[in-house]
Amino acid sequence: MNGSILPGTTQVLIVGAGAAGLTLAIDLARRGVDFQLIEQASRPFHGSRGKGIQPRTQEVLEDLGLLDRLVATGGPYPPQRHHAADGSFAETAFETSPPTPAEPHQMALMVPQFLTEAAMRERLAELGHAPRHGCALVDVEQDEEGVTARVAIGAGETGGATHGDGLRQERIRARYLVGADGGRSDVRKQLGIDFPGRTLGVRAVVADVTLSGLPRDAWHQFNDGSMERQLALCPLAGTALFQLQAPVPLEGEIDLGIDGLNAMVRDRAGRDDIRIESVSWASAYNMNARLADRYRVGRVFLVGDAAHIHPPTGGQGLNTSVQDAYNLGWKLGAVLRGAPDSLLDTYEEERRPVAEGMLKLSTRLLDAAKRGDNRRGREVHQLDIGYPQSSLALEAPARERGPQAGDRAPDARLRGAAGQGTRLFELFKGPYWTLLGYRASRASLGAVPARAGLRILSISDGGDGGDHVDGQGDFRDAYAPQAGDWILVRPDGYIAAIVSAAQLDALERFMNACGLPPP
């Protein structure tokens, strides 16, 4: 795709160039899939909204070639400083856990959303692609062969039309269309997909501001537990900004300018020395928890906020959206190369239950936050998300210990046959499946030949043979393998199959069904 080319045909049309759409575009680009990425807004989003990148998403972004630049851009979360009316304060540090060989990323990374998306656009440009802004979806039609989208050019400009009135229109023909266009998704509405859920009775202001009077070494909290007077001012890593967060009345106009926000800070903090000097972005919104009834209609899919919206508590939104796209990307690539279309049904099968659980978690955390309880546990890290009930999970025989088929594939330190150190995640990088044999030679695969898109690696325990050596026992500890086991890891870093040497026929049938046919 070239950002200046809109008319014509493509394999995948992505509607929406936020975090979900950009993730999908990056994944398709590295697979050599032809696509177009359009965005209704005339310019990139410039707010901090989704500022937390959870450990599992960090693993995804490492694979996509983004993590190092985001770590350099952002930083860790500061301690929460709870200010009392008498001027005293107490601090609560975020719980920290040291990295382990199996889980190299243990803590959330703070990067304002506009910087995360800027890094994604930079990575996409490295792959030779760019989003096209100011392009609004007008309508969608589909048939057995593909999708026809009508797009308005010049939408999203200040004061201009947004849905095609009076604008030049073009048609794009695609094999598949993906709606990554947010909570008010036009794609979802075009499909007639219901978006049930509830309004949570909380309205909040979030704003990116510069201010004086507060140090940047803490996330400042005032009036914890009061939904009328709560105020939070968090320094945004990688910027000179603070993010202001505050619940506000459900009804009435909210002054989001400097004067209005300064009045709010004076009233709630009870201090005259904190002064907002500029506002770069601000929004007032009602919190909802909603989940689309379906993620797929024919050749059209929903990802990210188009499929689920929720309160921001726990920092789950951007992360769930990125992982939606990461799950769908490799499946689209496989089907476009000839895998059975049924593979695409596993996207909703796997990701909709994850979103359902995420909505329950973020709503529960919101209820706790209303009481002034902002504690977070391991569940927000998303490292334990998996697909054990997926049709893309095979165990032969069933395992009694260690990770199961459908679980996240752990990392491990290894040593190459030439003595060089590496990590399992380094070996997983790229748009590939990986087949790991433990104390098993390639010759033992027999009827399971090499095939396009599959890396085969043998791992020894320090004896003779093996491409890599489990010298420190990390692989053994993380995977609990038996000699002769073969472990198939999906392109998105989940275990697809674990089979013994006696079950290789089942493994071959399984790989054929997953879009990995023999040459």
Side-chain angles (χ1 to χ4, degrees), residues 41-72:
S42 60
R43 58 187 62 85
F45 176 69
H46 65 281
S48 65
R49 191 162 48 201
K51 64 181 182 295
I53 300 179
Q54 300 292 351
R56 175 56 189 155
T57 305
Q58 292 174 45
E59 295 177 354
V60 172
L61 297 176
E62 181 178 1
D63 177 46
L64 295 177
L66 279 159
L67 184 59
D68 284 346
R69 71 188 80 187
L70 287 174
V71 171

Side-chain angles (χ1 to χ4, degrees), residues 488-506:
L488 181 64
V489 179
R490 297 169 16 165
D492 57 352
Y494 289 88
I495 298 172
I498 307 175
V499 302
S500 67
Q503 298 290 338
L504 290 176
D505 288 346

